[in-house]
Amino acid sequence: MYDHIVIPVDGSDGATTAAGHGFALADRFGASVSVLSVVARRALRLTTTDDERARLRSNAEAVVDDVAALAPEAVRPVATDVVSGTPATRIVEHAADRDADLIAVGRQGATGLGDRLLGGVTERVLRRSEVPVLVVPDSDAEVGEPPGYSRVLVPTDGSDSAGAAVPHGASVARAFGAAIHVVNVVDLQAEGGVFNAGGLEPAFVDRLEQQGRDAVDATASQVGEAAPDVAVATAVERATPRGGVAAGIRDYAATAGIDLVVMGASGRSTLDRQLLGSVVSTVLRTADIPVIAVPATA
């Protein structure tokens, strides 16, 4: 599933923690790794001398070397590269140039303002990337702690976008000896719309929940075909009135002890950019565990 993994770093703890997850995946999949640092064009514009520009590049080279040194022996040698330009653009270009299968990033970069917001670079990578992006929250683990996954969650709504995530979830679960949980979250308030004013008819609620059961059963069958040795648990949950689907996914993950979420990122816009769906965007911002967002084209 993963033959080459790109790990962009910027000297932040979040990026270093994400690198640990990238290395762990590379180890399990036998993938090669490249560690990349982008010297931002706006930073270069602030320099006034060649010496200042040289220091920027030297600092970036030290960052990639320090992160590469954290790679387990099985993953070495790790390629390192320092480029300049717009970070998100150069990261996506680097991944395309190397036929990467995965990009592993921290949720917040060196200039992040809070762990409940997606860093600007991370969000732009998610919107532009043709390959899955692993987003790791700063709170996930101590820097340098080797990560592992024992329970992988694959949310589904029965859409093609959600289905694109299934092979990735199955492959990761098989590689780590993890179980897969497939969940559908029914948002009665959103589905009911204006008809919810006087309460939804029981028959309507039953149909929604049956659709959810059909979706998780179909996804579980996909997992069984891709990874017959992986244990699968299924569930249909109701969203809380104010929480919505994303909160339902997050709450299920917390209750079930999920280590990793793998979910579809949505479709494409007419501007050739990913449409980062509202559910995956909210999960990425608020979940306290890593999330792999899988484009529909992956």
Side-chain angles (χ1 to χ4, degrees):
M1 177 60 67
Y2 304 126
D3 294 321
H4 187 78
I5 298 173
V6 171
I7 303 175
V9 295
D10 57 10
S12 66
D13 285 349
T16 306
T17 300
H21 285 262
F23 290 143
L25 284 161
D27 189 10
R28 297 298 179 111
F29 283 93
S32 58
V33 175
S34 56
V35 178
L36 172 71
S37 181
V38 181
V39 180
R41 183 177 291 122
R42 63 181 181 181
L44 288 170
R45 290 193 188 117
L46 296 175
T47 62
T48 57
T49 67
D50 289 343
D51 185 58
E52 287 180 340
R53 285 186 282 275
R55 283 203 301 272
L56 277 179
R57 183 173 182 88
S58 178
N59 290 340
E61 289 171 347
V63 167
V64 295
D65 288 344
D66 288 346
V67 171
L70 299 175
E73 194 64 36
V75 176
R76 298 180 186 184
V78 173
T80 60
D81 200 4
V82 174
V83 298
S84 60
T86 304
T89 301
R90 296 309 304 270
I91 290 167
V92 172
E93 289 175 350
H94 182 93
D97 289 345
R98 284 152 183 78
D99 290 327
D101 310 291
L102 183 72
I103 301 171
V105 295
R107 185 160 66 192
Q108 282 297 319
T111 58
L113 299 177
D115 63 2
R116 293 299 180 185
L117 298 173
L118 274 177
V121 172
T122 296
E123 184 163 4
R124 284 189 285 275
V125 169
L126 283 159
R127 290 181 183 277
R128 288 166 168 76
S129 179
E130 297 280 353
V131 300
V133 179
L134 167 65
V135 179
V136 181
D138 295 353
S139 59
D140 173 64
E142 294 296 324
V143 172
E145 179 184 335
Y149 312 123
S150 58
R151 298 178 188 86
V152 175
L153 175 61
V154 179
T156 183
D157 58 4
S159 67
D160 290 342
S161 174
V166 175
H168 294 268
S171 291
V172 172
R174 187 171 57 235
F176 283 84
I180 280 192
H181 290 238
V182 180
V183 66
N184 172 269
V185 178
V186 178
D187 189 342
L188 296 179
Q189 188 171 18
E191 295 287 353
V194 295
F195 301 106
N196 198 20
L200 294 175
E201 291 291 331
F204 180 71
V205 174
D206 288 344
R207 285 197 298 274
L208 288 177
E209 294 190 333
Q210 184 59 53
Q211 288 176 359
R213 283 190 288 273
D214 292 343
V216 297
D217 288 346
T219 299
S221 294
Q222 284 182 270
V223 173
E225 293 173 3
D229 53 333
V230 170
V232 182
T234 62
V236 176
E237 303 287 328
R238 288 190 187 182
T240 58
R242 295 189 180 184
V245 173
I249 292 170
R250 189 182 64 242
D251 292 346
Y252 181 90
T255 301
I258 300 297
D259 306 299
L260 175 72
V261 180
V262 183
M263 61 192 304
S266 194
R268 301 197 65 79
S269 74
T270 56
L271 298 177
D272 196 32
R273 293 291 184 268
Q274 280 294 124
L275 288 171
L276 195 60
S278 60
V279 172
V280 68
S281 179
T282 303
V283 172
L284 285 163
R285 289 199 313 271
T286 60
D288 290 327
I289 55 176
V291 179
I292 296 179
V294 181
T297 54

